[in-house]
Amino acid sequence: MSRIRVSRASSVGLAAILMSGVLALPALAQPKPADGALVGPNGMTLYTFDKDTAGNGKSVCNGACATNWPPFMAADSDKPAGDFTVVTRDDGKKQWAAKGWPLYYWAKDTKPGDKTGDGVNGTWKTAKP
């Protein structure tokens, strides 16, 4: 019986060690180019919004807008690099931007490679590398 307890305790300890390593990884990665567009780490297409102002460090897509166009979030520890910067949203959370333009997903894209948000309402564009 004591062997089983030791074995379970060892398994629990190993699981805790492995999880701590996973939790230490960056929460999100920077956007990357794929098939002529920028995509998030999940391979989903990213978009820009013409009502945003490039370089002002803000997003104007909040509330219902952000439900349809989820922001590509950045972790507090993420740092700008090259064309990629981090903007602060109205709620204080961080969001990735490319060339100053905040980046968003489109809720109606269902799989990597979808670009169904391009041109929606004449104000949404596929983010380009």
Side-chain angles (χ1 to χ4, degrees):
M1 182 103 102
S2 64
R3 276 188 154 172
I4 292 172
R5 285 187 186 142
V6 170
S7 177
R8 273 193 199 152
S10 296
S11 295
V12 170
L14 180 59
I17 291 167
L18 291 173
M19 281 306 293
S20 69
V22 169
L23 296 174
L25 295 174
L28 296 173
Q30 287 183 346
K32 61 185 177 188
D35 217 11
L38 288 176
V39 300
N42 58 3
M44 300 298 285
T45 302
L46 294 167
Y47 299 90
T48 58
F49 186 36
D50 284 349
K51 293 184 180 182
D52 283 324
T53 301
N56 80 344
K58 294 182 62 168
S59 163
V60 298
C61 181
N62 296 286
C65 177
T67 299
N68 291 322
W69 299 92
F72 177 39
M73 302 305 292
D76 286 337
S77 60
D78 287 339
K79 302 290 182 220
D83 287 337
F84 302 113
T85 55
V86 177
V87 300
T88 302
R89 299 184 49 74
D90 286 355
D91 62 6
K93 294 181 180 174
K94 307 293 182 183
Q95 176 179 357
W96 280 109
K99 300 176 185 169
W101 291 97
L103 296 171
Y104 307 86
Y105 294 106
W106 170 227
K108 293 186 180 181
D109 281 350
T110 59
K111 65 187 180 310
D114 281 356
K115 295 178 184 167
T116 64
D118 192 46
V120 170
N121 295 329
T123 57
W124 293 93
K125 295 184 175 104
T126 301
K128 304 288 185 189

